[in-house]
């Protein structure tokens, strides 16, 4: 499946992500691996290191990755059947330099889990967004979660249903969408956890199964 294919790329991140390399260099290796692991092409590769991780729509840049950086890696593309993958994991290159990262990341993990657990037929798109936002806001990071919780995915990377405040669309079995809350500390660091999930007859099935913990590389 598309989910398993992109999970295999995330599983290999330790091959490429290390101090002294630029985001662009790492991104080129990831793009090659996305194809090697079963995609037609790499539709998008975000490697947001250090302060660049605080920009949700960062691409790649010539910034050199440093020890202690937290790095947001958001990747995906189409598989031959036409369906798209899209998964984000956050990595630390050695122990995070910013002392706030560990606590903030633990909050993010709880928020993403709460949102996934809220998915079931009849729940609304807004309720899933609220489940994630409530955890982040209650922990004092509310102003650091600056985008919707998710978007539908299938033959297009972004489609209905949009998982956001104000969308009272009821979820139905078979709907597939991302659950991807983030915490962004401008100028410092960012983190995001994203899985694609499918609404089942009685709940939810995540299509991405890589661990949600902050993965410390080179440790």
């Amino acid at each position: 499946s598309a989910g398993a294919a992109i999970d295999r790329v995330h599983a290999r991140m330790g091959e490429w992500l290390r101090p002294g390399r630029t985001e662009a260099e790492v991104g080129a290796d990831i793009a090659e691996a996305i194809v090697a692991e079963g995609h037609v092409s790499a539709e998008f590769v975000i490697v947001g290191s250090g302060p660049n991780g605080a920009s949700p729509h960062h691409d790649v840049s010539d910034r050199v990755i440093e020890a202690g950086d937290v790095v947001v890696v958001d990747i995906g593309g189409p598989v031959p059947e036409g369906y798209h993958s899209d998964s984000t994991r956050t990595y630390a290159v050695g122990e995070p330099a910013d002392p706030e990262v560990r606590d903030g990341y633990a909050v993010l993990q709880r928020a993403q889990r709460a949102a996934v657990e809220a998915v079931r037929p009849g729940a609304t798109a807004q309720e899933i967004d609220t489940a994630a936002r409530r955890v982040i806001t209650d922990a004092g990071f509310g102003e650091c979660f600056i985008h919707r919780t998710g978007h539908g995915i299938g033959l297009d990377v972004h489609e209905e249903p949009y998982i956001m405040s104000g969308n009272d669309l009821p979820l139905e079995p078979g709907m597939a969408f991302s659950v991807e809350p983030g915490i962004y500390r401008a100028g410092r660091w960012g983190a995001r956890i994203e899985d694609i999930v499918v609404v089942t007859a009685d709940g939810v099935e995540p299509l991405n199964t890589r661990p949600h913990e902050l993965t410390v590389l080179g440790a």
Side-chain angles (χ1 to χ4, degrees):
S1 75
I6 208 67
D7 283 359
R8 289 195 296 271
V9 179
H10 273 295
R12 296 178 57 190
M13 210 53 60
E15 295 177 32
W16 315 303
L17 195 54
R18 56 182 175 271
R21 304 195 75 205
T22 68
E23 293 173 352
E25 287 168 341
V26 173
D29 287 339
I30 292 171
E32 205 170 290
I34 287 173
V35 174
E37 296 293 353
H39 295 78
V40 177
S41 63
E43 185 111 344
F44 51 91
V45 176
I46 293 173
V47 181
S49 65
N52 289 342
S55 170
H57 302 291
H58 184 72
D59 186 16
V60 296
S61 76
D62 290 331
R63 184 181 184 276
V64 176
I65 294 161
E66 300 169 17
D69 278 351
V70 174
V71 186
V72 177
V73 178
D74 185 344
I75 54 178
V79 294
E81 298 80 5
Y83 294 104
H84 283 78
S85 65
D86 183 3
S87 180
T88 308
R89 289 293 182 268
T90 300
Y91 300 88
V93 183
E95 186 56 30
D98 192 315
E100 186 188 59
V101 166
R102 287 281 183 189
D103 287 345
Y105 191 85
V107 170
L108 179 62
Q109 230 182 308
R110 289 204 310 274
Q112 202 267 350
R113 186 185 317 123
V116 172
E117 288 174 352
V119 175
R120 63 186 185 284
T124 66
Q126 174 172 270
E127 286 172 75
I128 310 312
D129 180 83
T130 299
R133 209 165 292 279
R134 183 182 295 129
V135 173
I136 291 173
T137 300
D138 286 354
F141 290 97
E143 77 285 357
C144 304
F145 179 17
I146 52 181
H147 56 71
R148 63 192 177 204
T149 293
H151 58 82
I153 189 166
L155 298 176
D156 289 311
V157 177
H158 298 96
E159 57 187 42
E160 287 284 348
Y162 291 103
I163 309 303
M164 58 191 288
S165 176
N167 187 2
D168 56 7
L169 180 78
L171 302 179
E172 298 173 24
M175 284 182 172
F177 52 85
S178 67
V179 178
E180 52 177 312
I183 291 177
Y184 308 97
R185 297 297 260 172
R188 291 167 60 194
W189 61 275
R192 184 164 62 255
I193 302 169
E194 175 186 19
D195 292 326
I196 302 302
V197 304
V198 176
V199 184
T200 62
D202 55 1
V204 60
E205 180 190 356
L207 299 186
N208 300 108
T209 58
R210 291 293 303 159
H212 288 170
E213 287 72 33
L214 181 67
T215 300
V216 179
L217 300 173

